[in-house]
Structures are given as structure tokens and as C-alpha cells.
Amino acid sequence: MANESLRIIMNQLKDLTAQESVIFNLFHTNSTINKVIDMLRQSNSTILATELQTTVQHKVKFSDVLYLDYVDRNVCLYTKNATYWVKNSFIRILTQLPSHFIQISKNNAVNIYEVKSVETNIGGNLIIKLSTDEKLVVSRRYIKNFKAFLIDQA
């Protein structure tokens, strides 16, 4: 094939009761298309969490979560607009996370799509800057897996 370009067509729905859908017209799939399909499937997965300020429970989309932090036997979920907590073990929550989350320390996992930049500090740790300009530390123990994850996501 001389022309390898991919035509992308998006239609914005006006009727709020209409169901969103994605249609692929492909000759074959590849790893990139498979990642996109996986991402789309996971974009609506949720977890029931309690808002920190109001103690009201909400269904929180994992796609809205910036990062997770395990504190005092609770997992805190940080979004751009609120903080939630789930009374559960960090290990159990890690097994429920979509594939675009990566553990970066003993008590933290991050949504890779919210990472804006990565830099190295003097101590050998990596510092990641999120879309909200918050900074998190990738501890030395998790650097190898984090780098491999970044390469795999490219």
C-alpha cells in the first residue's frame, strides 16, 4: 500500500440519550489498535468510593483518577476535582485497576495518561509531573518496571 494514512471521522452526538459508539473499519488489527480497544473498554470502568469531604459515596471512573495513595489501610483516589477513599487493601485495588495504571512505589500507583513529564533527581529516583502539575516520586525499586511500562505504551 502506497498510502498508509488513516482517516479518522468523529461525529458529536446532539441527543444526550443516544449511546456513544466506536466503529472500526479495518483490514487487520495491530498492537496499537488493540491498545485503543482496550483503552475504550476500560474508560467506563468504575469503583465505588467515598468522597473525603462529604462522606458521600460515588461511582468514580478510573479514567478520572490521577493517582492512588495507600494511607492508614485506606486507598485514596485523587482526581482533578476531588479526593475519594476506599476501605480496601492496596493489593486488591491494584488487581482491579485498568492497564494504564502502574505502581510507582510501595503505596502509590499512577494513571500513565496523566503523566506530563519525567525527570531524575539526585537520589536516583524519578520525579513524575502530572497534568495538574502535582509531582510524585517513582521509588528506585519501581523504576525498571515504570520505564518498561512507558516503552510498552509507546
Side-chain angles (χ1 to χ4, degrees):
M1 279 196 275
N3 188 354
E4 292 283 331
S5 67
L6 177 67
R7 186 173 65 143
I8 298 173
I9 300 169
M10 292 180 19
N11 299 314
Q12 186 167 357
L13 299 173
K14 305 289 186 219
D15 180 6
L16 296 178
T17 62
Q19 183 170 354
E20 295 178 309
S21 61
V22 178
I23 299 169
F24 293 99
N25 297 310
L26 304 167
F27 291 109
H28 57 85
T29 63
N30 58 33
S31 61
T32 302
I33 297 296
N34 289 334
K35 285 180 187 178
V36 169
I37 291 168
D38 188 42
M39 220 169 49
L40 288 168
R41 284 186 176 135
Q42 294 174 3
S43 68
N44 283 329
S45 59
T46 61
I47 186 168
L48 189 61
T50 306
E51 190 172 355
L52 202 57
Q53 301 299 327
T54 65
T55 66
V56 174
Q57 287 195 319
H58 297 273
K59 283 173 89 175
V60 179
K61 285 186 178 183
F62 281 117
S63 58
D64 292 336
V65 176
L66 302 168
Y67 66 98
L68 295 88
D69 189 15
Y70 186 62
V71 181
D72 296 330
R73 297 183 185 211
N74 292 298
V75 178
C76 290
L77 310 173
Y78 295 89
T79 68
K80 289 180 181 171
N81 301 318
T83 302
Y84 303 91
W85 63 272
V86 178
K87 190 155 187 73
N88 211 331
S89 75
F90 190 55
I91 300 299
R92 187 168 291 144
I93 297 292
L94 283 176
T95 63
Q96 296 175 4
L97 290 174
S99 61
H100 58 273
F101 280 85
I102 180 76
Q103 188 171 1
I104 59 169
S105 69
K106 181 180 175 186
N107 297 322
N108 293 105
V110 68
N111 180 343
I112 200 69
Y113 299 127
E114 295 295 336
V115 175
K116 190 162 78 172
S117 64
V118 180
E119 62 186 56
T120 306
N121 75 1
I122 296 171
N125 294 324
L126 292 179
I127 307 295
I128 56 176
K129 190 175 188 180
L130 301 177
S131 60
T132 58
D133 289 333
E134 291 177 80
K135 292 182 178 181
L136 298 173
V137 175
V138 180
S139 66
R140 284 181 283 184
R141 180 176 171 205
Y142 292 87
I143 288 176
K144 185 177 179 181
N145 287 343
F146 181 76
K147 287 181 177 179
F149 188 80
L150 287 178
I151 291 168
D152 185 49
Q153 294 295 313

